[in-house]
Amino acid sequence: MCDDFTAEAEDGNLARRGLDRRAFTALGASAALAGCTSIMKTHPANSVRERMVSITTADGVADAFFVHPAKGSHPGIIFWPDIAGLREAKKIMARTLAAEGYAVLVVNPYYRGQPAPVFESFAGFRTPEGQAKVEPLRAALTPEAITRDARAYVAFLDGEKAVDRKRGIGSNGYCMGGPFTVRTAAAMPGRVRAAASFHGAGLVTDKPDSPHRLFAATQASYLFAIARNDDARQPAQKTDLKAAAAAAGRPAEVEVYPADHGWCVPDSPAWDPDAADKAWQRMLALYARL
């Protein structure tokens, strides 16, 4: 997961960006995101509408960021952040996706513990204090809790005028959010038709409810973009995902990218803009079929 980066890979990625760990941590949210604006597309400010929303779930009230095109109705997307949670980096990514024609809900997975942002940037998580802070918040994210939350998020999207209920819902997730996309598809199989996991953690486990064992309970098509260092640690994962999807009759694109865990996220020390753009385009191709 995000807290299991190899130090060598992380230092190498930072060095290519002219940084070291101390400099990266000192940058904070705004400076760490400065580099992403040259890769992420820019759009007129009036092309999308955005707001923070409150969603009643079975476990409380979740805060989330909702952004969508200013006009019309569009496929809904449930966006699961990585371990650092809902923050400005995720809002930037969501705005870019919304401008492509989607109504995007970026959830705060830690709402049971505190409202977003838990961290202003990924650098905040990378400190010992940050990792200690997130541990109890992450422990609450059981498979059952994610399933309950997913149902509430689908219900929210289906109640919004900006969402086209005649189209399927998609879900994308990063790191710990990767397997949450599969659980989202299993929670609402009649609505969730596409799921994209980027450097997802825990997709293939030995547990009976492992995400890769849920494919048959879904009606979704899948994209699994795997980091090279995750593949090195779990080389059978890609084969198991392909086999499980095929057995369930679910379309699945599974690829190991030449980038390290976290490469899709602009404020991550592993961010790789070229590989991130490729993964983004593959997600857009998946969502085009919603």
Side-chain angles (χ1 to χ4, degrees), residues 61-86:
V61 178
D63 54 313
F65 176 72
F66 186 47
V67 57
H68 56 83
K71 298 179 180 179
S73 59
H74 308 271
I77 304 295
I78 298 171
F79 185 131
W80 295 97
D82 57 22
I83 197 168
L86 170 55

Side-chain angles (χ1 to χ4, degrees), residues 1-14 16 21 126 227-233 259-262 269-270:
M1 295 187 72
C2 291
D3 48 352
D4 290 329
F5 282 123
T6 62
E8 182 179 355
E10 180 177 310
D11 288 342
N13 277 295
L14 289 174
R16 284 189 288 274
R21 292 192 199 187
R126 293 297 293 156
R228 62 187 171 193
N229 53 344
D230 289 338
D231 181 60
R233 285 191 290 265
D260 292 318
H261 186 101

Side-chain angles (χ1 to χ4, degrees), residues 17 19 23-24 26-40 42 82 85-96 119-123 264-269 271:
R17 294 165 64 183
L19 301 170
F24 176 73
L27 277 174
S30 58
L33 288 169
C36 86
T37 57
S38 63
I39 297 300
M40 296 286 187
T42 57
D82 57 22
L86 170 55
R87 59 196 189 279
E88 187 60 27
K90 297 304 177 182
K91 291 181 180 180
I92 289 174
M93 296 170 74
R95 292 182 187 115
T96 303
F119 302 106
E120 294 293 338
S121 73
F122 197 87
C264 289
V265 181
D267 67 344
S268 163
W271 184 52

